[in-house]
Amino acid sequence: MNIYVGNLSWNMTSEDLEALFTPFGATASAKIVTDKFNNNRSKGFGFVEMANDDEAKAAIAQLHDTEVLGRNIVVNESTPRPEGERSSSFKKPYGGGGNRSGGGGGFNRGGTGGGYNRDRGGNGGGEYNRY
């Protein structure tokens, strides 16, 4: 069973997370999700995989809403991501954009398209252009 663990302390490591679940049974894996764009800082949640469903359910029941490193953690069975949901947590706020070669629109500093460009043009017709 795959278990979601949320509201984790920023200082908690994957090893700490695994140690938290070990008393309930064998853990196949324990991983805290990190932000690769922010010096691999913890995003405050992670996942633990346990082979035995009964042990996993016991861990969920006993650990949910308990205090760990000063925070009440959320522990529940992980559910699959809904169909069609993006894999990236980065949301582009206005228009397409987001590429570096033009087209799309939104938050441009030069040109008329291609979101997040600083000095390149394009043809996306984005909002918030500086020039």
Side-chain angles (χ1 to χ4, degrees), residues 27-119:
T27 57
S29 67
K31 175 84 171 129
I32 291 182
V33 177
T34 57
D35 184 355
K36 65 181 176 181
F37 298 111
N38 197 5
N39 294 326
N40 286 327
R41 179 179 176 218
S42 167
K43 287 190 172 187
F45 68 94
F47 297 93
V48 176
E49 189 174 349
M50 297 182 77
N52 184 304
D53 284 356
D54 292 333
E55 292 173 348
K57 288 176 184 176
I60 290 169
Q62 296 219 4
L63 291 174
H64 179 70
D65 202 31
T66 59
E67 186 176 324
V68 177
L69 296 175
R71 301 188 74 161
N72 285 6
I73 62 172
V74 174
V75 183
N76 52 40
E77 186 173 349
S78 177
T79 56
R81 184 179 305 230
E83 193 67 29
E85 189 166 317
R86 294 159 49 141
S87 61
S88 171
S89 63
F90 181 72
K91 306 280 190 256
K92 296 178 183 85
Y94 300 101
N99 58 30
R100 301 196 127 236
S101 61
F107 291 99
N108 298 308
R109 296 191 79 163
T112 60
Y116 307 98
N117 293 327
R118 290 191 173 261
D119 58 354

